[in-house]
Amino acid sequence: MLYHSRNPHGGDIYTGRVQLDFSANTNPLGTPPGVVQAVQESLCRLHRYPDPYCRTLVQQIAAFEAVSPDYVLCGNGAAELIYSFCEAVRPKRAVEIAPTFSEYTLGLQRVGCVPQRYFLRQETEFTIGPDFLPFLRAQKPDVIFLCNPNNPTGKLMDEAVLRQVLAFCRESGCRLFADECFLDLTDHGKSLKEFLQDTPELLILKAFTKSYGMAGLRLGYCLSADPQLLAGMSAAVPPWNVSTPAQAAGIAALHETQFLQDTRTLIRTQRAWLQTRLIQLGFWVCPSQANFLLFQGPPQLHTQMAQRGISLRNCDNYHGLGPGWYRIAVRLPEENNALISALQQLAEDEKLWQKTL
């Protein structure tokens, strides 16, 4: 648990009076009923230790991803896998884009590595530019961290850029840590898993947290063709790190294909509606392909919305952003309506920005 330190993420609904949580990017449909049932049925086995090898879960993930079971390592959430990767590799030089998920930096700092950052710009809608490859060549990193789609921007990376980065890694021996935790919630995102066999430098991170609404269970996995890397990551965590309920939930979730299709349909329509309404209210909104939106507004908006029982992700702790940047999850239609209504009412009450409705 956290101890006397700041929580750098959203989803903290345990203080204050949060009625609507837009700060955590989990599935707007919640947890599939089949997953809840699997967890309930697992409770009679709580007196036994969980399978330390996650045997059935690993086989199911391998079949789902169409990879060898030897490529699969499960963990207690994606965050644990980030930390165990950094512990196993212990890079001297690392590169990440900015803004991006903060746990990469925190994991690297634990092993004495301070990442070099390639800063994305609002003027180009936070898209990686043609100078990224020259930047990599100049930095000569041991590891590159890329989040696709990126958090908090929601932008999918250009496939040509990803192929160029993969080629750079093969040539230089640099590792690529590709975070695809939100990829299953996009319409056209393409995984790099087809390159695993020919690119042992590649590791792909996935999680059940976002796609299947399982944040409270903590379950993630990674894919790699490098058995020594996976062994090193496994050695960095204690045994029995994936609980019996989490393993049961993961096995059940992998069969929820219709649930994912329904989720993507909902996200597609509601994201477009939210983006339009936010722009009408006078915010700058980053075009997104994910289940969340990054937008720029007045400083302290998150505090004023919290007073109305609505939690936004304040993004002032992201490198490359600052006060006035916020991220919201795409939620159910009635929740999204409530958010926009509250923002509109705040604009009328406080005269914080020019209302254009």
Side-chain angles (χ1 to χ4, degrees), residues 50-335:
D51 180 358
Y53 299 99
C54 301
R55 293 170 177 90
T56 303
L57 178 58
V58 165
Q59 291 293 333
Q60 294 285 328
I61 291 172
F64 179 81
E65 298 285 6
V67 300
S68 166
D70 292 336
Y71 288 13
V72 180
L73 180 70
C74 297
N76 187 260
E80 181 186 76
L81 292 163
I82 293 170
Y83 282 78
S84 63
F85 172 86
C86 293
E87 179 69 28
V89 175
R90 292 190 163 269
K92 300 299 182 184
R93 297 183 64 84
V95 162
E96 66 179 27
I97 60 177
T100 198
F101 188 45
S102 62
E103 291 298 325
Y104 312 142
T105 292
L106 296 174
L108 289 166
Q109 287 176 344
R110 284 194 176 189
V111 296
C113 180
V114 178
Q116 299 299 311
R117 297 186 177 93
Y118 174 88
F119 285 91
L120 308 174
R121 300 188 303 276
Q122 181 181 3
E123 308 87 76
T124 57
E125 297 182 340
F126 296 102
T127 300
I128 289 180
D131 57 339
F132 186 53
L133 263 296
F135 176 83
L136 293 180
R137 294 190 183 99
Q139 294 298 324
K140 298 181 174 62
D142 304 314
V143 175
I144 303 165
F145 285 84
L146 292 178
C147 188
N148 187 37
N150 189 33
N151 176 12
T153 66
K155 303 279 288 190
L156 282 168
M157 289 193 62
D158 184 80
E159 288 186 28
V161 172
L162 286 172
R163 289 174 180 269
Q164 291 171 349
V165 173
L166 282 171
F168 170 82
C169 290
R170 292 192 198 100
E171 295 166 3
S172 65
C174 172
R175 293 189 183 275
L176 173 59
F177 187 102
D179 184 342
E180 297 184 355
C181 285
F182 289 103
L183 197 68
D184 289 341
L185 297 178
T186 68
D187 285 323
H188 306 294
K190 187 176 180 182
S191 174
L192 292 177
K193 62 185 179 183
E194 66 179 278
F195 301 103
L196 284 168
Q197 185 172 358
D198 297 326
T199 315
E201 297 85 2
L202 170 64
L203 180 135
I204 297 173
L205 180 70
K206 299 287 291 286
F208 292 85
T209 304
K210 317 300 182 183
S211 300
Y212 303 102
M214 289 166 47
L217 272 176
R218 313 308 304 138
L219 180 61
Y221 62 94
C222 61
L223 308 174
S224 173
D226 184 346
Q228 291 184 329
L229 171 62
L230 297 183
M233 292 174 63
S234 175
V237 299
W240 310 302
N241 58 323
V242 182
S243 70
T244 296
Q247 292 186 42
I251 293 166
L254 293 171
H255 299 284
E256 295 284 351
T257 53
Q258 186 60 51
F259 179 82
L260 272 187
Q261 292 176 14
D262 294 343
T263 300
R264 283 190 287 265
T265 299
L266 173 66
I267 290 170
R268 186 188 317 120
T269 56
Q270 288 300 302
R271 182 181 61 225
W273 184 85
L274 270 174
Q275 179 169 333
T276 298
R277 300 292 284 180
L278 288 170
I279 292 172
Q280 288 175 337
L281 282 168
F283 299 112
W284 185 91
V285 184
C286 183
S288 169
Q289 290 96 15
N291 60 317
F292 50 89
L293 289 166
L294 176 71
F295 69 95
Q296 188 178 31
Q300 300 307 313
L301 177 64
H302 62 292
T303 301
Q304 291 161 320
M305 291 296 285
Q307 294 169 355
R308 290 160 170 79
I310 299 177
S311 178
L312 312 180
R313 173 63 162 94
N314 176 25
C315 294
D316 65 359
N317 67 326
Y318 278 92
H319 293 281
L321 298 179
W325 285 99
Y326 308 98
R327 189 197 67 202
I328 56 169
V330 177
R331 304 299 307 165
L332 296 174
E334 57 270 24
E335 295 173 309

